Amino acid sequence: MSEIYSQPLLIGIDAGGTRSRACLVPAEPAPGPGDDPAAAVLGRGAGGPGNALSVGRADLTRHLTDAIAQAVPPAARGRVVAAFGGFAGAAEGLGSERGHGLALSCLADALDANGIRGAAVGVGGDTEVALAAAPGAPVDGLVLIAGTGAIATRLAGRKRLAVIDGHGWLLGDEGSGYWLGGRAVRAALEALDGRGPWTSLVAAVAAHYLGEQAAPPAGRRPGSEECWLLSEGIVTSAYQQPPPQLALLSPAAVAAAGEGDAVALRLLDEAASLLTAAVGALHPQPGEPLVLTGGLLGPGGPLLSRVRARLAGLGLQLHPTADGAPGAAALARTLL
């Protein structure tokens, strides 16, 4: 066994609406209060979606099992002493098959499936592990997540004091992948029926729902009959898919904005303003840490620069973070 795996080890899990991420870290914390939890990561893995309110038991267990198997080499599995998972939808009091109860049960089963037994196991929310992933693993601060969904939270002592949005695709998640994808489809439909300006999103949305061959050539606005047929086809196909699949269109909006499409640029600006408003509703104070994470807001995320600019005058300590798995590992240490 490699010497690095001969020490006690911890597993951290960040399970969101699109994917589940796992990481392996030493149980002994690195010296110094300002250390970045991500710097100690020994291994990483990823699996499918991990929302504990929308993913069933079998699928959630399988996704966690895959992520752990990738992050933890077989030679290291006997040295794992604790694991903690941060889950989207990990609310307590919803019964054993939803929320907190389901997350805890599935994580325990996934560890067992990888031959990891006897470890302390805990679960919490996705914002909890996101905050702990910031340098120094703070216990107090703010979190803004914008990925498949969107939520802003104030935490004190790692407990939620205030939550803004996170209401899901039907009632909220404003500025999220759901929101951005849905607005991209609406913009395409408005262009096709003449209510809105023409946009390259028409071709992207048509290609997504109807195939590349159905997408009109770039720069050409089809005739009225073709527009009507495209619109009908898009609507019919969209309603045949689960609503959360709208999030798959958010990269199309980002790509169109990158090419200078005015409609797509407006959508990204609006998404950034909605997310900034969510932070504002938490009444942030100068000097407070704010973790920015999720596919749209993490390092290199397409909304990061826009949100940064809108938050610039608040005096916050901004920490763009790729994912909360290292923070979850830091919380696993508290189980020992």
Side-chain angles (χ1 to χ4, degrees):
M1 180 184 296
S2 172
E3 180 180 348
I4 199 169
Y5 296 132
S6 63
Q7 59 185 311
L9 301 168
L10 307 172
I11 294 174
I13 302 282
D14 180 11
T18 300
R19 65 183 62 84
S20 301
R21 297 182 176 92
C23 74
L24 181 70
V25 306
E28 185 66 27
D35 291 302
D36 183 351
V41 171
L42 303 174
R44 289 185 177 272
N51 189 308
L53 292 181
S54 61
V55 180
R57 174 178 291 277
D59 288 339
L60 182 54
T61 301
R62 184 175 71 257
H63 298 163
L64 296 173
T65 300
D66 292 344
I68 293 169
Q70 296 170 34
V72 189
R77 293 175 188 174
R79 301 297 299 169
V80 174
V81 295
F84 191 95
F87 290 77
E92 297 195 49
L94 298 178
S96 61
E97 293 303 313
R98 302 191 76 207
H100 186 274
L102 180 65
L104 185 60
S105 177
C106 290
L107 179 53
D109 288 347
L111 292 168
D112 185 72
N114 280 289
I116 300 170
R117 300 178 179 92
V121 182
V123 299
D126 49 353
T127 56
E128 183 181 349
V129 300
L131 181 63
V139 299
D140 304 321
L142 312 175
V143 174
L144 177 63
I145 299 176
T148 305
I151 188 171
T153 307
R154 172 180 290 281
L155 298 102
R158 298 197 175 112
K159 302 297 183 183
R160 293 186 181 189
L161 290 187
V163 179
I164 309 300
D165 206 348
H167 301 316
W169 64 269
L170 180 61
L171 300 175
D173 284 353
E174 295 188 339
S176 70
Y178 290 147
W179 184 94
L180 194 55
R183 290 307 189 277
V185 177
R186 291 186 184 194
L189 294 174
E190 289 168 2
L192 286 167
D193 66 19
R195 288 178 295 155
W198 193 253
T199 168
S200 62
L201 289 170
V202 171
V205 171
H208 176 82
Y209 284 117
L210 305 174
E212 292 287 347
Q213 72 282 355
R220 179 180 74 83
R221 182 167 188 156
S224 58
E225 183 175 357
E226 186 180 352
C227 282
W228 179 81
L229 290 172
L230 282 171
S231 179
E232 288 293 298
I234 289 169
V235 170
T236 299
S237 179
Y239 274 106
Q240 290 173 345
Q241 299 182 11
Q245 294 290 318
L246 286 170
L248 298 177
L249 269 300
S250 63
V254 172
E259 295 169 358
D261 184 273
V263 173
L265 285 166
R266 176 178 55 78
L267 290 179
L268 264 62
D269 285 340
E270 188 176 351
S273 294
L274 289 168
L275 294 170
T276 304
V279 174
L282 294 172
H283 307 293
Q285 300 300 312
E288 287 190 300
L290 169 62
V291 172
L292 303 166
T293 191
L296 296 174
L297 276 183
L303 295 183
L304 178 58
S305 62
R306 288 173 167 83
V307 172
R308 271 188 185 275
R310 287 164 171 78
L311 293 172
L314 298 181
L316 296 169
Q317 300 177 37
L318 302 183
H319 300 292
T321 304
D323 65 84
L331 296 183
R333 189 171 289 122
T334 68
L335 300 175
L336 301 178

